[in-house]
Amino acid sequence: MDSMRDRFAPVVTRLLDEDPRVAVVLAEIGADGFAEAKRRHPDRVVNVGIREQLLVGAASGMALAGMRPVAHTFASFLVERPFEQVKLDLGHQDAGAVLVSAAASFDWPAGGYTHMAPGDVALLDTLDGWTVHVPGHPDEAETLLRHAVAAGDDKVYVRLSLQSNAAGRPVDGQRFLTVREGRAGVVVAVGPMLDAVLAATEGLDVTVLYATTVRPFDGDALRRATVAAGTDVVLVEPYLAGTSTAAANDALADVPHRLLGLGVGRAELRRYGQIDEHVAAHGLDARSLRERI
């Protein structure tokens, strides 16, 4: 199966062909995938080199000029390193752009901590007005990329990962999906966490909601689920643990509830290892999830 990132360049290349407003801004990472697109659209595929602050600034300028820019690099270089530009050039100026990341929380362990970004969604949560998509399968990534580019002048973050569920779901870029129904609690699985959550909750009488768009947070879906399943809620996210607990608490503010946020821990793991070893170390494998749930 191809990866989410494998889908990125072909999908956005088609969007470049279809819509003259679309532009792509790169910082070396992923440039090879747009070689043909650059030949066809030399004025709308721009590689700024290893200058991530300029990457976001250039995207902002394009947006202010009426274009729909898609900026892409590793998450740590897209959200963390140029955060001032994300905050000011895009947010403060109300300039809409689509930020598409790769490498996610720990997709390339050998790259070390410089190439890990488990805090990316939490960091964007400090800013107003961002839509955040976290696909769990390449098919969903394609759907959500198209939603993101078509979203007028909105500010959108699409978080791509090498971690993936076995099958895609019919996501719509807005609502959580009900994957399993129960009466003894609600588990919200975000993006590539769904398969592990389904395995972890096999035989448990719980409702499982699937979230691929986490901002805005679908509080209505969570509230509806708790009517039948009760107000014990677990959030399982592929990034920093607790990132969405405030949003879930807000959704349930008027009812007594218990909430457990599971995700990537704050402790830095200083050995490279493999992706599955990082997943297990953070307690996000099915066996660990079952014990904690």
Side-chain angles (χ1 to χ4, degrees):
M1 183 177 71
D2 59 353
S3 70
M4 297 182 199
R5 196 171 177 216
D6 290 334
R7 295 286 183 93
F8 169 62
V11 169
V12 177
T13 294
R14 289 195 293 273
L15 293 172
L16 282 163
D17 294 337
E18 296 166 5
D19 186 347
R21 289 185 66 221
V22 174
V24 175
V25 193
L26 305 166
E28 291 297 342
I29 301 298
D32 289 349
F34 287 94
E36 178 57 32
K38 185 171 180 61
R39 283 191 285 272
R40 294 206 297 268
H41 310 287
D43 56 335
R44 291 191 285 130
V45 178
V46 178
N47 182 359
V48 301
I50 306 174
R51 300 175 179 89
E52 287 82 8
Q53 289 89 346
L54 178 59
L55 173 81
V56 176
S60 172
M62 290 178 176
L64 292 171
M67 302 181 77
R68 186 60 170 162
V70 178
H72 172 69
T73 186
F74 289 166
S76 57
F77 306 148
L78 185 64
V79 176
E80 294 178 336
R81 181 173 292 175
F83 183 69
E84 182 179 13
Q85 285 68 39
V86 174
K87 181 178 77 172
L88 299 178
D89 295 4
L90 294 175
H92 182 63
Q93 297 197 95
D94 288 326
V98 181
L99 305 184
V100 181
S101 69
S105 295
F106 40 69
D107 276 2
W108 187 30
Y113 205 54
T114 56
H115 289 71
M116 299 181 186
D120 53 348
V121 177
L123 191 56
L124 283 178
D125 249 357
T126 67
L127 305 178
D128 181 44
W130 280 86
T131 295
V132 178
H133 298 308
V134 187
H137 185 273
D139 291 348
E140 298 167 4
E142 180 167 344
T143 297
L144 294 172
L145 281 166
R146 288 186 170 274
H147 274 290
V149 173
D153 295 316
D154 291 353
K155 300 183 291 291
V156 185
Y157 179 49
V158 184
R159 190 182 203 262
L160 305 184
S161 177
L162 291 179
Q163 297 181 70
S164 176
N165 302 311
R169 304 269 174 170
V171 300
D172 65 1
Q174 296 179 331
R175 289 173 286 274
F176 296 173
L177 298 176
T178 302
V179 177
R180 181 182 292 164
E181 293 185 336
R183 296 171 296 175
V186 179
V187 183
V188 181
V190 175
M193 292 291 93
L194 179 61
D195 280 0
V197 166
L198 290 175
T201 57
E202 185 66 37
L204 301 182
D205 190 18
V206 297
T207 290
V208 176
L209 300 180
Y210 182 42
T212 54
T213 298
V214 295
R215 299 294 182 277
F217 187 86
D218 190 358
D220 290 341
L222 179 59
R223 286 183 62 89
R224 287 193 301 270
T226 60
V227 171
T231 55
D232 282 349
V233 177
V234 181
L235 292 173
V236 184
E237 304 178 273
Y239 34 78
L240 193 64
T243 295
S244 295
T245 53
N249 277 321
D250 288 346
L252 302 173
D254 61 340
V255 295
H257 63 277
R258 296 195 304 168
L259 182 62
L260 174 63
L262 303 179
V264 178
R266 292 180 181 272
E268 179 183 341
L269 304 181
R270 296 176 180 268
R271 295 182 180 178
Y272 293 152
Q274 302 296 323
I275 291 176
D276 59 346
E277 292 176 303
H278 284 256
V279 168
H282 289 291
L284 295 175
D285 59 297
R287 179 177 178 178
S288 299
L289 288 174
R290 188 176 183 88
E291 292 174 354
R292 299 166 84 186
I293 291 170

